[in-house]
């Protein structure tokens, strides 16, 4: 069935990436200023301000095993990352796996639902066989609980009394994103890592966090967001499934308090989620949808790629090579800067998703 995607996009009335808030035009000379403005708008209105990177950071190797991990093809390490924050200190564990066969390996920081390996969302051996190293942490037990408790973990360091005062104080997605950058602090200084092939990856709520992490931290050269939906890759205007109202009713603590004012009021938002994808430009973005993930809304994720994709032109790079219809399960649409696929099935981070992302990640 023919579907006019251009009409659909026009009907969404998305805010213009090519105009500054004061109405002046964005061009290739001032594009980095626009990127900073978009980051500011997103943090102020959606996620809250991500804390500054710490002045110092320590890494302590707690355990190493290079004998039997992935049939002996990988080196496994458990490290502890510690850094000062607000006159106090925060520390969390990360599990690392590096392929022995590669001198300088591409490296993915994976924010995950669990911190142990093996894990159903992480095909360790496939990653190792394709020469990719990775570091994983558990977003709740290692960082901060997935609830309204702002005393828990790093939240209690950021908010000493467990209370957020201003409307733009950061929520938990920003904290998970912040800690993904701390894992990169470790990786970036390792001899066996390729600094030009660094990625941050996550599924669903952690896909939202991964997108924010890469938008804020230019050391991530790639981001992989899987089924991230509302407040992730999917544009909110005209979105089906989960809306800003649904997500702020159920998970208000993921965001800054200002975001609530856009519930059933999306048209007033000074941004939409294509800003989040565009804020990673000129680096690379991969978005994965699942056909039966109606809550996330694959079409709104796809539209976001199309719209954000235009932004790469300002950097003299290719836009997203979209097709003028709704992608069907099995379609993989990869440009050199944005990749997208939709697979059959439900909300899940599958091997199919990883393999498609890895192809994009390893492309020369
Ligand atoms: C809920 C939530 C989504 C989120 C998902 C997940 O369904 O509404 O926004 O992406 O959980 O993290 O699995």
């Amino acid at each position: 069935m023919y579907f006019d995607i251009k009409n659909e996009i026009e009907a969404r009335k998305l805010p213009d990436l090519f105009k500054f808030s004061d109405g002046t035009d964005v061009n290739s000379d001032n594009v980095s200023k626009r990127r900073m403005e978009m980051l500011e708008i997103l943090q102020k209105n959606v996620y809250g301000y991500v804390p500054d990177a710490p002045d110092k950071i320590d890494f302590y190797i707690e355990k190493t095993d290079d004998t039997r991990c992935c049939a002996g093809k990988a080196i496994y390490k458990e490290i502890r990352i510690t850094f000062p924050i607000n006159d106090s200190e925060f520390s969390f564990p990360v599990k690392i796996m590096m392929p022995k066969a590669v001198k300088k390996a591409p490296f993915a920081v994976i924010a995950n639902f669990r911190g142990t390996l093996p894990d159903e969302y992480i095909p360790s051996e496939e990653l190792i066989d394709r020469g990719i190293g990775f570091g994983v942490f558990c977003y709740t037990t290692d960082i901060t609980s997935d609830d309204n408790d702002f005393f828990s973990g790093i939240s209690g360091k950021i908010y000493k009394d467990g209370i957020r005062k201003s409307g733009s104080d950061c929520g938990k997605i920003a904290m998970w994103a912040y800690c993904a950058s701390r894992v990169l602090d470790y990786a970036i200084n390792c001899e066996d890592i390729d600094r030009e092939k660094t990625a941050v990856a996550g599924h669903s709520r952690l896909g939202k966090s991964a997108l924010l992490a890469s938008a804020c931290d230019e050391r991530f050269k790639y981001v992989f967001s899987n089924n991230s939906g509302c407040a992730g890759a999917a544009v909110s205007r005209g979105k089906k499934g989960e809306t800003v109202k649904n997500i702020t009713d159920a998970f208000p603590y993921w965001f800054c308090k200002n975001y609530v004012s856009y519930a059933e009021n999306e048209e007033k938002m000074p941004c939409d989620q294509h800003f989040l994808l565009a804020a990673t430009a000129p680096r690379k973005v991969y978005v994965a949808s699942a056909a039966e993930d109606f809550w996330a809304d694959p079409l709104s994720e796809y539209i976001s790629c199309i719209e954000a994709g235009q932004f790469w032109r300002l950097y003299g790079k290719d836009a997203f090579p979209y097709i003028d219809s709704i992608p069907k399960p099995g379609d993989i649409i990869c440009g050199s800067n944005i990749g997208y696929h939709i697979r059959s099935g439900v909300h899940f981070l599958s091997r199919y998703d990883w393999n498609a992302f890895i192809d994009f990640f390893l492309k020369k």
Side-chain angles (χ1 to χ4, degrees):
M1 196 187 70
Y2 178 72
F3 178 83
D4 191 336
I5 203 139
K6 286 196 184 118
N7 273 348
E8 175 68 27
I9 293 176
E10 244 164 65
R12 303 280 182 120
K13 299 201 165 44
L14 298 171
D16 193 346
L17 291 175
F18 291 86
K19 293 244 183 275
F20 283 96
S21 301
D22 67 3
T24 55
D25 289 336
V26 181
N27 56 45
S28 48
D29 295 328
N30 58 25
V31 61
S32 18
K33 208 167 134 216
R34 174 60 169 155
R35 181 179 159 265
M36 294 314 289
E37 186 183 62
M38 292 192 300
L39 272 178
E40 165 70 24
I41 293 171
L42 286 162
Q43 291 181 97
K44 182 169 174 200
N45 295 284
V46 183
Y47 306 101
Y49 290 99
V50 179
D52 290 336
D55 300 334
K56 75 180 212 28
I57 185 156
D58 289 325
F59 313 108
Y60 179 70
I61 299 174
E62 294 183 325
K63 185 175 168 186
T64 308
D65 177 1
D66 60 1
T67 56
R68 57 180 315 282
C69 181
C70 291
K73 294 175 285 190
I75 299 173
Y76 173 81
K77 278 185 198 155
E78 289 179 13
I79 62 161
R80 178 155 288 277
I81 300 184
T82 306
F83 53 91
I85 181 161
N86 277 350
D87 309 325
S88 180
E89 204 174 69
F90 183 66
S91 151
F92 69 101
V94 179
K95 314 282 185 326
I96 307 274
M97 267 198 209
M98 294 303 296
K100 286 184 188 167
V102 184
K103 261 218 177 107
K104 281 204 175 290
F107 185 83
V109 177
I110 308 171
N112 198 29
F113 290 82
R114 297 152 296 269
T116 46
L117 293 168
D119 183 87
E120 64 174 349
Y121 281 168
I122 305 176
S124 313
E125 201 167 344
E126 273 93 342
L127 284 157
I128 293 298
D129 284 345
R130 298 195 63 184
I132 297 169
F134 61 91
V136 56
F137 62 85
C138 170
Y139 80 126
T140 49
T141 49
D142 297 342
I143 311 299
T144 179
S145 60
D146 191 353
D147 57 21
N148 216 0
D149 177 0
F150 277 87
F151 276 117
S152 146
I154 197 171
S155 303
K157 308 286 180 185
I158 298 174
Y159 306 112
K160 285 190 189 136
D161 50 5
I163 297 168
R164 295 190 296 165
K165 299 189 179 71
S166 112
S168 59
D169 279 350
C170 75
K172 296 211 168 173
I173 286 179
M175 297 182 202
W176 297 320
Y178 179 75
C179 288
S181 283
R182 303 295 65 83
V183 180
L184 188 60
D185 291 341
Y186 164 78
I188 214 95
N189 290 312
C190 294
E191 283 285 297
D192 55 351
I193 279 162
D194 179 352
R195 287 187 187 191
E196 292 309 306
K197 288 274 183 195
T198 52
V200 53
H203 167 63
S204 206
R205 64 199 66 182
L206 298 169
K208 309 181 208 296
S209 305
L211 286 169
L212 182 62
S214 81
C216 293
D217 189 338
E218 292 178 277
R219 300 170 307 163
F220 285 118
K221 304 296 182 200
Y222 289 76
V223 55
F224 168 29
S225 106
N226 192 72
N227 303 179
S228 61
C230 187
V235 288
S236 301
R237 285 169 172 80
K239 183 181 180 305
K240 303 265 182 353
E242 187 173 34
T243 61
V244 176
K245 164 113 178 84
N246 298 137
I247 206 166
T248 52
D249 279 352
F251 307 103
Y253 54 88
W254 284 357
F255 308 98
C256 69
K257 292 185 185 164
N258 289 341
Y259 193 42
V260 179
S261 63
Y262 302 112
E264 295 180 326
N265 193 23
E266 283 85 348
E267 67 286 355
K268 289 274 155 42
M269 276 196 296
C271 54
D272 208 315
Q273 294 308 118
H274 60 317
F275 278 43
L276 185 63
L277 301 192
T280 286
R283 295 159 294 133
K284 298 178 197 271
V285 174
Y286 196 86
V287 172
S289 299
E292 289 171 53
D293 191 0
F294 308 113
W295 193 235
D297 188 6
L299 179 59
S300 293
E301 296 181 323
Y302 183 58
I303 286 177
S304 199
C305 293
I306 296 174
E307 282 304 280
Q310 307 297 323
F311 201 67
W312 269 256
R313 291 223 170 99
L314 293 171
Y315 292 91
K317 296 189 171 250
D318 294 338
F320 179 56
Y322 67 98
I323 49 172
D324 199 4
S325 62
I326 301 184
K328 46 184 194 325
D331 281 348
I332 301 184
I333 305 163
C334 272
S336 31
N337 302 301
I338 298 196
Y340 172 86
H341 77 245
I342 177 161
R343 64 158 164 79
S344 57
V346 298
H347 190 70
F348 192 86
L349 176 49
S350 72
R351 279 200 300 183
Y352 181 98
D353 300 313
W354 272 111
N355 283 329
F357 167 67
I358 292 170
D359 289 344
F360 181 74
F361 190 29
L362 297 184
K363 223 169 21 184
K364 292 266 185 278

